[in-house]
Amino acid sequence: MNQSSTPKVAIVTGASRGIGAAVAQRLARDGFAVAVNYASSPEQADALVVELKAAGGRTFAVKADVASAEEVRAMFDAVEAQLGKVDVLVNNAGVLRTLPLAEHSDAQYDQTFDINVRGTFNTLREAAMRLNEGGRIVNFSSTTLALNMPGYAIYNATKAAVEAFTHVFAKELRGRGITVNAVAPGPIATSLFLDGKTEEQVQAFAKMPPLQRLGQPEDIASVVSFLAGPDAGWVNGQILRANGGVA
Ligand code: NAP
């Protein structure tokens, strides 16, 4: 819970739906002023903002393609103008295309790396200049990196890069009191995971963890809440695998 009278400010990238929306809801409940970033779903982002405001939150929706350095810079400008300097950055925006490596087109490869890797790079670079002392950064990896399943080579490569950023950037921010961690979810019931899978395939994934269910966005939002909050002050440079025990 945020104890100060002025709410701390959080940016959640890709917060229009899925895990990002649940993270925005949870951080708003924790007392943060939350910038709801989106790229192509303005209606969903706006609906979330209406919901958070109705619950008393300070929030607004901010359009930015994280793959664009210019748009990310403009997003930080807008957040500073509307909510104040940023304390928490959640790098949730990401895409997954499950396809054998040999079947990826150049465009598909570029898109996955542009959003998952360059997008994280763009926001981290901006955060290095702009995050308040004592801030928190939460990146998004994936448990698929530990599973090495066919079809995940390109996606896993992007998440390996995100994990590398996390370990090194935590050290590069020495002296600023800022922690940099990543959460690596297992299968979570969002469109990223569900789209293109048969019911049989979904059920096979649901049976994988010893907890015998798919994760829900809220399962990950609570982990982000922990990493963004005071109780995780001594956790830095770590990858937290939240996956029901699947790996
Ligand atoms: P999702 O339901 O597909 O939602 C993706 C979000 O990212 C949307 O809000 C989307 O916004 C946004 N987004 C996509 N491209 C963007 C861009 N260029 N700039 C800004 N925002 C962009 O996905 P999810 O399942 O919630 O995944 C969230 C994160 O968790 C991702 O990093 C993913 O790799 C990771 N993850 C997910 C799972 C899983 O099983 N679901 C497992 C492990 C890791 P618009 O609609 O506005 O474009």
Side-chain angles (χ1 to χ4, degrees), residues 14 16-17 19 39-41 65-66 92 140 155 159 185 188 190 192:
S16 49
R17 53 198 172 81
I19 297 169
S40 55
S41 305
D65 175 354
V66 293
N92 163 82
F140 266 70
Y155 179 73
K159 295 304 188 180
I188 305 293
T190 67
L192 178 138

Side-chain angles (χ1 to χ4, degrees), residues 97 99 103-113 154:
R97 187 182 299 269
L99 199 65
E103 292 173 27
H104 265 76
S105 68
D106 290 351
Q108 288 164 338
Y109 175 95
D110 285 347
Q111 193 206 27
T112 306
F113 268 85
I154 305 305

Side-chain angles (χ1 to χ4, degrees), residues 188-203:
I188 305 293
T190 67
S191 57
L192 178 138
F193 167 74
L194 296 167
D195 287 358
K197 291 194 177 70
T198 63
E199 183 54 28
E200 217 175 12
Q201 288 170 320
V202 170
Q203 287 315 317

Side-chain angles (χ1 to χ4, degrees), residues 10-24 27 34-39 45 48 60 62-67 71-72 75-76 79 86 88-95 115-116 118-124 126-127 137-140 159 224:
I11 296 179
V12 183
T13 68
S16 49
R17 53 198 172 81
I19 297 169
V23 169
L27 293 185
V34 180
V36 173
N37 162 252
Y38 69 96
L48 179 59
F60 76 113
V62 55
K63 178 174 164 50
D65 175 354
V66 293
E71 291 185 29
V72 165
M75 172 174 74
F76 271 80
V79 175
V86 178
V88 172
L89 167 66
V90 181
N91 274 319
N92 163 82
V95 289
I115 296 173
N116 296 5
R118 187 185 295 279
T120 301
F121 163 68
N122 283 337
T123 57
L124 292 181
E126 216 55 41
I137 296 172
V138 182
N139 293 326
F140 266 70
K159 295 304 188 180
V224 175

